Amino acid sequence: MRKLMIVVGGSLALAAPLANADVLGVGANVSYWDSDFSGEVVNKDSAVDIEKDLNLDSDSDSNANFTAFFEHPIPVLPNVRLNYTSISQSGRGEIGLEAFDGILPGAPVRSDLDIDQLDVTLYYEVLDNWVNLDLGLTARNFDGELVLRDVNDIANVSETSVDAVVPMGYLAARFDLPLTGVSVGAEGNFISYSGDSLHDFNAYGQYEFAMLQLRAGYRQMAIDYEDDDDKLDVEMSGPFASVGVAF
């Protein structure tokens, strides 16, 4: 992971001479993401399918996202972007044909999956006109936990958790239709190293008037990460909508 951070960090340094910096800018937005889940969670040598076995989205879901950015007119220094995503899914299902972490096959279970991640991104504006292009490096701190409760035996509880801080590449592009306030764009973070991989991409359409920004699009996030004997291998995807301000 250290070698990968050096490589990505070096790429960020190479982008610095190409940076554009015109004026001071700040902004923030909040969004709701209606995502579907698929994949599996591994605890030691046992695995459970979060869609087929746990039916995670059957009861409730809460996927909130907050983003803030700060841009400045000093070309050699990177801009700063913060992003926080909170994902909470609950469901009622049934363990499959094999036991999972002490819970017997066929047992009815209530499950709760929580994923929290905080991104700190340093980036440069390589292009800044009707075509916008940002390149940067993200440090992502993420925590994921799956808790299963045996409905027939409330004392039988399984907990699987992973947590890490990983570097990720950052790329964002936006194309503005002049004099309309309408734009389309895409942005994402990505990393793949030593058997682990994470990616988080979204594409959107945006309408901006005065200081207000309205955005709608589609987001996909995949986490394939192993932490000791616990592993999270899940994918989330679905539409999102956001409202924000930019000065």
Side-chain angles (χ1 to χ4, degrees):
M1 189 68 73
R2 179 176 178 272
K3 290 182 179 179
L4 183 60
M5 182 175 285
I6 293 173
V7 171
V8 178
S11 300
L12 181 62
L14 291 175
L18 303 175
N20 288 276
D22 298 320
V23 295
L24 183 70
V26 295
N29 69 67
V30 292
S31 66
Y32 175 77
W33 180 25
D34 184 15
S35 62
D36 293 324
F37 272 65
S38 62
E40 67 175 17
V41 173
V42 177
N43 187 310
K44 300 181 178 65
D45 294 326
S46 57
V48 64
D49 189 299
I50 63 174
E51 182 182 22
K52 297 177 181 178
D53 298 334
L54 304 185
N55 196 21
L56 265 180
D57 62 354
S58 64
D59 288 350
S60 63
D61 62 89
S62 175
N63 302 335
N65 188 85
F66 173 77
T67 301
F69 68 86
F70 172 73
E71 297 178 344
H72 55 78
I74 306 175
V76 295
L77 296 179
N79 302 300
V80 180
R81 180 179 184 269
L82 302 177
N83 181 272
Y84 174 71
T85 300
S86 177
I87 299 169
S88 180
Q89 296 277 335
S90 299
R92 290 181 179 270
E94 186 176 287
I95 297 299
L97 298 178
E98 297 182 4
F100 178 79
D101 192 30
I103 302 179
L104 297 177
V109 292
R110 175 174 175 82
S111 55
D112 295 285
L113 176 65
D114 294 295
I115 299 175
D116 290 306
Q117 57 187 37
L118 175 64
D119 293 354
V120 179
T121 301
L122 304 179
Y123 68 95
Y124 290 101
E125 292 185 293
V126 179
L127 296 174
D128 186 19
N129 41 64
W130 70 274
V131 178
N132 300 268
L133 179 63
D134 299 340
L135 298 175
L137 172 66
T138 294
R140 170 168 293 185
N141 179 26
F142 80 88
D143 295 285
E145 182 180 51
L146 175 68
V147 178
L148 301 185
R149 295 176 174 85
D150 189 334
V151 175
N152 294 330
D153 181 2
I154 60 174
N156 193 8
V157 179
S158 166
E159 296 184 6
T160 305
S161 63
V162 299
D163 63 86
V165 178
V166 296
M168 306 178 73
Y170 172 74
L171 173 66
R174 192 181 77 244
F175 303 90
D176 300 330
L177 189 59
L179 306 178
T180 66
V182 176
S183 59
V184 294
E187 59 188 31
N189 294 103
F190 48 89
I191 187 176
S192 180
Y193 183 76
S194 188
D196 297 324
S197 65
L198 294 89
H199 76 251
D200 187 354
F201 297 102
N202 71 79
Y204 62 87
Q206 178 175 283
Y207 179 62
E208 182 175 358
F209 60 97
M211 296 178 295
L212 188 64
Q213 295 177 336
L214 302 177
R215 181 179 294 189
Y218 191 86
R219 181 179 179 183
Q220 181 185 69
M221 181 167 67
I223 301 172
D224 184 359
Y225 189 83
E226 185 171 1
D227 187 357
D228 295 327
D229 292 329
D230 294 343
K231 181 178 180 179
L232 196 64
D233 184 5
V234 300
E235 181 176 303
M236 297 146 278
S237 59
F240 74 91
S242 74
V243 58
V245 293
F247 303 93

